[in-house]
Amino acid sequence: MKLLHIDSSVLGDDSVSRSLSAEIVAKLKALHPSIDIVYRDLASDVVDHLSIGHIAARYGAPVEEKGLLGDIAKGEEYLAELADADIIVIGAPMYNFSVSSQLKVWIDRIVVAGRTFKYSETGEVQTLLPAAKKIFIASTRGSAYASGSPYAAFEHHESYLKGVFAFLGLHDVTIVRAEGLAYGPDARSAAISQARGEISAISA
Ligand SMILES: Cc1cc2nc3c(=O)[nH]c(=O)nc-3n(C[C@H](O)[C@H](O)[C@H](O)COP(=O)(O)O)c2cc1C
């Protein structure tokens, strides 16, 4: 069994999503002691933004530039890690109403026509990923976005991630959420405690 653990916060040791994603991984390791874990810290080790060179290479253009070759190779590693994973755990902070740009860059490398999905002739999306996967997202945000809240329409974070994974045929997504983190120390610690309670309830 393989677990892919991804962090994408730029806040280092102060990051809440990093500590929650680590706790989710520890819980899953306790449930599945022989699980193999691959870790990607997208804040310290990230691929470049897509460029015309990347897209041309996808369509068979020869690549001679060393930097681009290495970057494309790392994107291939991302694809292989995604395909191999049975479980994916993602630390996903909300920055400016969506995912961090570091996480978006990863998404740009794993949502690839002909590699992870294809369209049928009638326009349906077919996944090309080899197996179903379980996904856990440690979602952290300064404000709160429940339906009915004044900011609900700004929520392009969990809904975006769920949409991306559903597009790839991955529907088993569990969100562990700590929100309202900017509402003061009491609200912050209550939100983190609630998320920790959700983590201890993970049973598979
Ligand atoms: C650059 C930046 C942008 C942010 N944008 C938002 C935002 O749009 N909405 C929100 O509710 N919180 C926002 N926050 C607050 C973060 O979501 C909050 O600090 C959360 O803890 C981030 O997760 P992390 O601690 O793992 O980095 C932002 C924080 C930063 C640093």
Side-chain angles (χ1 to χ4, degrees):
M1 209 175 189
K2 290 191 175 160
L3 185 154
L4 173 60
H5 178 193
I6 291 172
D7 275 322
S8 62
S9 165
V10 298
L11 297 188
D13 291 343
D14 292 330
S15 158
V16 180
S17 64
R18 282 174 184 271
S19 68
L20 294 178
S21 76
E23 287 178 38
I24 295 169
V25 170
K27 176 73 187 193
L28 292 167
K29 177 83 179 154
L31 290 168
H32 310 283
S34 62
I35 202 161
D36 287 335
I37 298 171
V38 172
Y39 181 61
R40 283 278 178 196
D41 185 341
L42 301 180
S44 61
D45 178 28
V46 73
V47 289
D48 294 335
H49 284 287
L50 289 175
S51 66
I52 192 159
H54 292 91
I55 306 301
R58 278 186 195 169
Y59 290 95
V63 180
E64 276 150 28
E65 201 236 304
K66 254 193 174 174
L68 182 57
L69 269 177
D71 195 71
I72 289 172
K74 194 184 279 185
E76 288 296 322
E77 288 172 22
Y78 288 3
L79 283 165
E81 289 162 2
L82 175 73
D84 285 353
D86 302 289
I87 304 178
I88 303 165
V89 178
I90 302 177
M94 177 188 267
Y95 294 154
N96 297 317
F97 309 113
S98 189
V99 297
S100 67
S101 55
Q102 287 79 4
L103 185 55
K104 177 62 166 59
V105 163
W106 179 81
I107 290 167
D108 285 344
R109 297 306 179 91
I110 58 118
V111 182
V112 183
R115 301 295 300 277
T116 50
F117 76 94
K118 69 175 185 179
Y119 290 107
S120 74
E121 283 174 8
T122 48
E124 288 111 18
V125 177
Q126 298 171 344
T127 181
L128 299 178
L129 287 169
K133 299 167 195 312
K134 227 174 167 32
I135 300 174
F136 293 88
I137 295 172
S139 160
T140 52
R141 15 212 224 187
S143 187
Y145 297 85
S147 132
S149 91
Y151 302 113
F154 293 80
E155 205 291 308
H156 309 292
H157 175 230
E158 293 174 10
S159 54
Y160 170 69
L161 286 169
K162 280 183 165 173
V164 166
F165 289 122
F167 184 83
L168 296 179
L170 305 176
H171 300 281
D172 187 349
V173 178
T174 302
I175 304 272
V176 173
R177 178 185 308 118
E179 69 177 359
L181 293 168
Y183 292 177
D186 290 350
R188 182 180 176 88
S189 67
I192 294 170
S193 296
Q194 185 180 323
R196 290 202 167 123
E198 289 168 22
I199 293 168
S200 50
I202 293 171
S203 59

